[in-house]
Amino acid sequence: MVPDSGPRVLLGVSGGIAAYKAADLVRRLRERGCVVRVVMTEAATAFVSPLTFQALSGAPVRISLLDPAAEAGMGHIELARWAQRILFAPATADLIARLAAGLADDLPTTLALATRAPLYLAPAMNQQMWLHPATQDNLERLRARGARILGPAQGSQACGDLGPGRMLEPIEIATALLADLLPDAVNPPPSTAAAGPLAGVRTMVTAGPTREPLDPVRFLGNRSSGQMGYALAAALAQLGAEVCLISGPTALPGPAGVTRVDVETAAQMHAAVFERIGTIDLFVAAAAVADYRPAAPAERKIKKETAELTLQLIRNPDILAEVAALPHPPFTVGFAAETDQVEAHALAKLSGKGLDLIAANQVGGDQGGFERAENALICLWREGRRVLPMMPKTRLAGELAQLITERYLA
Ligand code: PMT
């Protein structure tokens, strides 16, 4: 009997060699308190027996859409409504294509259409199939509809190839899924994080605003709350990275497992970054750094003695551009905060600053950007582009961390 309380996860297994890892995934999800039901494609049954999944999940496994006995129990529409998350692991290239096209030609794809539960995919396929533009286009369509893509990892493949396409380890998939489902309950032990795809990667993230003093009590600042950068630092740490967070003034607690260095001005942020940059492999600039600072901050509080006051501002160093211009730069990721022509300005920053990746967001409107809990990003790199639609910053950070990992490892 399946326990009836706990997060309800519907696991769809499709036909690839990684199907054997899905058995361990059921175990990992159940260990974490999930109620798991399994559906399989016909092809998946050639790799692992439905009985294996039945024994591990404690519930009957469904394969056919047209099974009168099964429909008399929990019908497929009921099953689709029951699920709080639908996870396809492994998700083969064929399954991804069918999901992207909105087909309902077997039980798993029908359930994906009949549900309102968020969709998660853990792709697994040959590296050439993964890199094929058709697969990448299909993934882009699914992402644009809000599906979350977990992995794949790099490495040697069952077919003998080397490259991206290995399914993430079950524990990584379970952790990512549960982090969204139960953000407070899941705090993976350091040993789990250290095993992620960024294990041993020394990472620095800048976050939050800077404050540029005008006098001892006033400053020039901006609306950054630090949420985006902090969420990203946490997401990178969850993928196994060693993360140093250089933070401007925020009201946020430091993420677990992340070393935090507090600064106030752009000059202090510049100094804190360059003190440590020599050992950094991956640099992510999410901070909203003031481009200018008052040329001569007053030593005493400025009095309102005149009708007008003119401030002289001087340029601050561009921390991101200086990091990217180092003789041996880390993999460098920038942000672009724009009120208009978001993509054009971001492209100019990508090439102008010599970055590996840029994440551009619209700021100054009613949605996303500064201070808000949600955001959307257009991510650009020399050979590609990925749109991450509006979603909570915690989840968006997970998606961006995943993309950074893919590009860093490519
Ligand atoms: O903090 P939140 O409230 O969650 O809001 C998130 C955010 C909008 C601040 C974030 O998503 C974001 O866009 N951060 C970058 C803001 C910014 O300063 O963008 P920019 O286009 O002005 O700068 C481009 C890049 O250069 C950024 O990576 C910035 O960190 C970097 N930069 C800029 C100036 C400077 N002197 N040094 C820098 O390193």
Side-chain angles (χ1 to χ4, degrees), residues 135-144 385-387:
T135 305
Q136 291 303 318
D137 283 355
N138 289 331
L139 286 160
E140 212 51 69
R141 287 165 75 187
L142 289 165
R143 272 194 199 97
R385 172 183 191 277
R386 186 174 295 172
V387 176

Side-chain angles (χ1 to χ4, degrees), residues 305-394:
E305 287 160 349
T306 53
E308 286 182 10
L309 180 69
T310 304
L311 285 177
Q312 196 192 354
L313 303 178
I314 52 172
R315 277 284 287 269
N316 274 328
D318 188 321
I319 301 168
L320 176 64
E322 284 189 24
V323 168
L326 285 169
H328 301 288
F331 187 92
T332 306
V333 181
F335 270 72
E338 309 293 345
T339 52
D340 60 294
Q341 297 180 57
V342 175
E343 192 156 345
H345 286 312
L347 268 175
K349 284 179 181 167
L350 177 74
S351 59
K353 298 194 188 193
L355 309 179
D356 294 297
L357 180 71
I358 194 157
N361 43 194
Q362 175 104 38
V363 293
D366 291 343
Q367 284 193 309
F370 290 110
E371 287 178 311
R372 302 179 188 278
E374 295 205 319
N375 200 13
L377 293 169
I378 303 175
C379 304
L380 305 165
W381 60 101
R382 216 171 312 137
E383 313 82 13
R385 172 183 191 277
R386 186 174 295 172
V387 176
L388 303 177
M390 192 66 71
M391 60 182 104
K393 281 180 179 168
T394 45

Side-chain angles (χ1 to χ4, degrees), residues 250-312:
T250 74
L252 302 172
V258 166
T259 307
R260 172 170 155 180
V261 178
D262 288 322
V263 297
E264 191 157 312
T265 64
Q268 288 166 2
M269 187 171 278
H270 180 272
V273 167
F274 279 87
E275 232 168 77
R276 299 161 176 86
I277 199 70
T279 59
I280 295 298
D281 306 306
L282 172 58
F283 178 72
V284 185
V289 187
D291 289 322
Y292 292 90
R293 67 178 184 276
E299 282 179 14
R300 303 222 173 101
K301 187 179 171 196
I302 300 169
K303 296 287 178 196
K304 50 176 187 299
E305 287 160 349
T306 53
E308 286 182 10
L309 180 69
T310 304
L311 285 177
Q312 196 192 354

Side-chain angles (χ1 to χ4, degrees), residues 11-97:
L11 173 66
V13 183
S14 62
I17 182 64
Y20 80 91
K21 286 191 188 175
D24 187 37
L25 178 56
V26 175
R27 213 165 55 83
R28 301 287 181 184
L29 289 167
R30 289 199 67 192
E31 274 170 9
R32 286 161 174 73
C34 295
V35 185
V36 183
R37 283 182 173 263
V38 180
V39 295
M40 300 173 78
T41 63
E42 285 287 345
T45 62
F47 291 91
V48 186
S49 154
L51 263 182
T52 306
F53 288 111
Q54 179 169 316
L56 290 168
S57 67
V61 171
R62 289 201 53 182
I63 298 147
S64 170
L65 187 56
L66 309 170
D67 178 344
E71 286 292 306
M74 191 188 272
H76 68 275
I77 297 293
E78 225 180 310
L79 194 54
R81 287 192 189 131
W82 170 88
Q84 285 177 290
R85 292 289 186 274
I86 295 201
L87 165 66
F88 286 104
T92 59
D94 173 69
L95 179 82
I96 289 169

Side-chain angles (χ1 to χ4, degrees), residues 186-203:
V186 177
N187 215 343
S191 59
T192 306
L198 291 182
V201 176
R202 292 159 302 181
T203 302

